[in-house]
Amino acid sequence: MRVLSFLIAYFFCSAAWADCEKTHIVSAGDTIFTIAEQYYRDHQKWTVIYYGNQDKLGGALLQFPEGAEINIPCLPSDQAADATPLRQVDAEMKLLTGSNYAPFTDHNWSGDGMITEIVNAALENSPYPVPYEIRWDDDWSTHLFPQLDSKEFDMGFPWFRPNCEEDRLNQRCENFHFSEPLVELLILLFTRKDASFQFETDSDITGKRLCRPKGYFTHDLERKGRDWINQGIITLVQADSPDACFDLLMKGEIDAVAVNEFLGWTKVSSLGLKGAVEPLRRPLSIEGLHVVISKKHWRGTTHLYRFNSGLEELKKSKRYDDIVSRHLGLFWAQLE
């Protein structure tokens, strides 16, 4: 499973990166946090280790078995955006996305964003590659309905996938095919550093007040075995914006802001909350970003197969890791 964490870029420009691209043999007493402290000089960068070695976790969330040989990643610093030989104006295949979603899709970002580059690379790796055009519409509310649903476009990106296995009547599930995840993001609980909030097991969440902005998904709070909202286990506050959530956090009116790590760390930086707010170590959930295709599209399943095949090949290659790590580095460089 590929899960993103921009935390791996935090020391992108620091001397700590001189210690990367190494192999570490897990010893008795090692934890993912002590290993991060050893190589990145900050235990908060445990996600550097976690996301680069998930196949070695042996089913554990945060603990490697003793004797495991794990990789200590390093980021490139000066790669140019990928070339896009298949991307052409007025091509028969048309894709829809929007800007203002950095570092994923944004006209002002290198390569138009990380996800844009991944989509391009996946299409290049698909069976019988064909030219495509990307159209940009910054009104995201019109993308799924009516534009993609009416087959005005062949594919759209990037979109979160609801829990379609448990919510088959969800409008997205009923009307769209979802690709395999382009990337997977951690949803974290951002709390005040001086708070006593711990989240080691789901039982620790009882009685907590969580804020998530209006319009954001809540399926990770209501999935099987975690019916937190309906049973009143938590109080969900849906503020008007992410900024409003963090304002409530600093006022002590909520216990945590539940958002993806990119958004959370962006707000911590832009609102001047570094040192005052940080995420808890245990992820709340892991959510993928996907390409979507209308189930009404007469070639929908064909497009889905071809794209997934290309994405699978891409993820086997160093090119995928290069794209991701470059954008993570750019993200942190801009925050700093």
Side-chain angles (χ1 to χ4, degrees):
M1 177 172 56
R2 300 272 190 166
V3 184
L4 273 187
S5 175
F6 66 78
L7 297 179
I8 68 175
Y10 185 79
F11 279 177
F12 176 70
C13 297
S14 75
W17 288 112
D19 250 349
C20 63
E21 291 295 349
K22 292 186 176 182
T23 297
H24 178 87
I25 306 298
V26 178
S27 302
D30 278 351
T31 70
I32 197 168
F33 307 106
T34 61
I35 296 170
E37 183 72 36
Q38 176 181 344
Y39 289 97
Y40 302 122
R41 303 176 188 172
D42 188 342
H43 70 274
Q44 285 285 359
K45 308 304 171 286
W46 60 269
T47 47
V48 179
I49 314 299
Y50 176 71
Y51 300 125
N53 296 276
Q54 289 188 75
D55 57 334
K56 300 167 187 173
L57 284 167
L61 181 61
L62 299 177
Q63 185 62 52
F64 294 105
E66 185 176 346
E69 185 175 298
I70 62 174
N71 180 53
I72 308 300
C74 186
L75 297 178
S77 61
D78 57 358
Q79 294 180 351
D82 276 4
T84 55
L86 293 178
R87 191 167 162 181
Q88 300 176 12
V89 175
D90 293 327
E92 182 178 351
M93 178 178 286
K94 299 188 185 301
L95 281 62
L96 178 64
T97 191
S99 196
N100 304 319
Y101 194 22
F104 304 118
T105 56
D106 195 299
H107 268 320
N108 296 317
W109 196 268
S110 174
D112 287 334
M114 178 198 300
I115 297 298
T116 309
E117 288 206 50
I118 290 175
V119 168
N120 169 73
L123 289 172
E124 287 183 13
N125 279 273
S126 66
Y128 309 106
V130 297
Y132 67 92
E133 178 184 11
I134 294 180
R135 296 277 183 89
W136 296 77
D137 184 344
D138 293 348
D139 183 1
W140 290 87
S141 67
T142 69
H143 284 211
L144 296 178
F145 302 97
Q147 296 191 81
L148 287 161
D149 182 62
S150 66
K151 300 165 290 187
E152 183 179 346
F153 293 90
D154 297 288
M155 303 181 193
F157 67 90
W159 291 93
F160 286 107
R161 181 183 184 273
N163 188 343
C164 295
E165 290 73 26
E166 295 180 20
D167 188 10
R168 297 182 184 278
L169 298 181
N170 183 285
Q171 194 175 37
R172 290 190 192 182
C173 301
E174 283 192 312
N175 291 279
F176 295 98
H177 297 295
F178 289 83
S179 72
E180 292 298 311
L182 303 166
V183 294
E184 291 182 297
L185 308 181
L186 287 179
I187 309 301
L188 301 178
L189 292 172
F190 285 81
T191 67
R192 288 173 52 153
K193 195 171 182 179
D194 59 4
S196 59
F197 194 162
Q198 292 186 339
F199 183 51
E200 300 298 329
T201 68
D202 276 11
S203 62
D204 294 330
I205 207 75
T206 302
K208 299 300 184 183
R209 301 161 298 173
L210 307 186
C211 187
R212 183 166 284 170
K214 290 179 182 177
Y216 285 46
F217 64 82
T218 59
H219 60 257
D220 59 331
L221 308 177
E222 300 176 302
R223 69 190 187 199
K224 186 176 181 180
R226 186 185 269 188
D227 195 11
W228 290 349
I229 298 175
N230 292 333
Q231 292 187 9
I233 293 173
I234 64 166
T235 298
L236 177 63
V237 178
Q238 294 181 292
D240 289 334
S241 67
D243 291 44
C245 277
F246 279 95
D247 182 56
L248 293 174
L249 178 67
M250 296 311 295
K251 290 178 178 178
E253 297 180 20
I254 60 166
D255 297 297
V257 179
V259 291
N260 78 70
E261 54 182 343
F262 278 75
L263 177 57
W265 279 112
T266 297
K267 293 304 175 183
V268 168
S269 177
S270 66
L271 297 173
L273 300 178
K274 288 183 179 180
V277 173
E278 61 183 24
L280 299 181
R281 292 177 175 181
R282 182 174 183 247
L284 182 64
S285 65
I286 299 172
E287 305 294 333
L289 290 175
H290 305 256
V291 161
V292 297
I293 304 169
S294 172
K295 290 182 177 180
K296 300 174 185 176
H297 198 302
W298 70 281
R299 297 182 64 187
T301 54
T302 300
H303 286 329
L304 183 67
Y305 166 76
R306 293 180 65 254
F307 185 84
N308 280 340
S309 296
L311 183 61
E312 181 180 8
E313 289 302 309
L314 174 64
K315 287 186 175 182
K316 295 176 183 177
S317 71
K318 185 175 181 295
R319 184 180 180 187
Y320 181 91
D321 293 328
D322 286 347
I323 291 172
V324 170
S325 60
R326 172 164 45 83
H327 285 281
L328 299 181
L330 288 171
F331 184 84
W332 270 105
Q334 292 206 12
L335 284 189
E336 296 173 349

